[in-house]
Amino acid sequence: MPKVSVYNLLLEMIKHEENFGAYWIYLALKKGYLQKEDDPKRIYDVPFTEEEIAEIKAMNERDVLGINRIKLYATSISDAKYALYFARTPYDAQMLHSNIYGSKPTKWHSIYNQHKYTSILHNETNEEIYLFMLKERIKEFPYYIGEVVVENSASGVTV
């Protein structure tokens, strides 16, 4: 079993799209506050300033590590039904949608941050899987996930 290190933790955070933690470790390594081989518990001892915290947030916004290149997009195909796609851009999703449905909707919703921990029943494998895990398995993008029905309820919208 490999020794757990700050670097291993960084790779796991990138894999599981834990952006703030990944950028925290990345900047701490870059500034020399941590070394790759350090025990992960040392991340709590990093003396970041307010300016460095702002730098972490800015790196996250710019997606410096390329953590969020593939997004989850949805477009309406009827009153309560949406088609879901993994794609780099809304345009990529639109072109795939056009091939599947024969139309090019112009209204797209980026919903990955709200639904990466949502589980779906995947038709191809007949398994319940979280969207972030499904994204990890896909080799080629854009990718058509399928259709979902959105129901209005007293507690809000459910998928």
Side-chain angles (χ1 to χ4, degrees), residues 103-118:
S103 65
K104 289 184 184 178
T106 56
K107 188 166 185 174
W108 288 90
H109 308 279
S110 179
I111 61 172
Y112 188 68
N113 288 338
Q114 301 93 322
H115 291 286
K116 71 179 173 182
Y117 297 114
T118 299

Side-chain angles (χ1 to χ4, degrees), residues 1 11 24 31 58 63 75-76 78 83 93 102 104 110 117 125 158:
M1 186 162 156
L11 296 178
W24 180 279
K31 298 242 179 197
D63 196 20
T75 191
S76 177
S78 72
K104 289 184 184 178
S110 179
Y117 297 114
T125 61
T158 58

Side-chain angles (χ1 to χ4, degrees), residues 95-139:
M95 292 297 100
L96 182 55
H97 184 86
S98 176
N99 291 342
I100 295 169
Y101 290 95
S103 65
K104 289 184 184 178
T106 56
K107 188 166 185 174
W108 288 90
H109 308 279
S110 179
I111 61 172
Y112 188 68
N113 288 338
Q114 301 93 322
H115 291 286
K116 71 179 173 182
Y117 297 114
T118 299
S119 63
I120 62 165
L121 179 62
H122 192 246
N123 288 337
E124 290 178 21
T125 61
N126 201 31
E127 68 179 313
E128 186 130 347
I129 186 168
Y130 289 110
L131 286 170
F132 83 92
M133 291 175 71
L134 176 61
K135 182 173 106 170
E136 187 178 299
R137 291 183 186 176
I138 297 166
K139 304 288 186 235

Side-chain angles (χ1 to χ4, degrees), residues 2-87:
K3 179 182 176 254
V4 179
S5 67
V6 165
Y7 186 70
N8 296 124
L9 181 59
L10 171 63
L11 296 178
E12 283 298 308
M13 287 189 163
I14 290 171
K15 178 181 177 182
H16 295 288
E17 300 176 349
E18 298 294 334
N19 293 25
F20 191 80
Y23 286 110
W24 180 279
I25 293 170
Y26 175 75
L27 188 60
L29 289 168
K30 187 175 167 185
K31 298 242 179 197
Y33 295 136
L34 296 173
Q35 302 302 312
K36 286 182 175 183
E37 303 78 27
D38 284 346
D39 186 301
K41 292 176 188 166
R42 292 225 33 243
I43 68 171
Y44 300 109
D45 300 328
V46 175
F48 280 139
T49 64
E50 291 298 318
E51 291 81 21
E52 289 168 325
I53 300 278
E55 189 176 345
I56 290 169
K57 291 176 182 175
M59 285 190 299
N60 185 35
E61 283 293 313
R62 292 189 324 267
D63 196 20
V64 171
L65 296 175
I67 297 173
N68 301 108
R69 289 191 177 144
I70 303 297
K71 307 220 181 322
L72 176 65
Y73 293 103
T75 191
S76 177
I77 53 177
S78 72
D79 285 342
K81 201 181 280 188
Y82 289 80
L84 299 180
Y85 299 87
F86 281 127

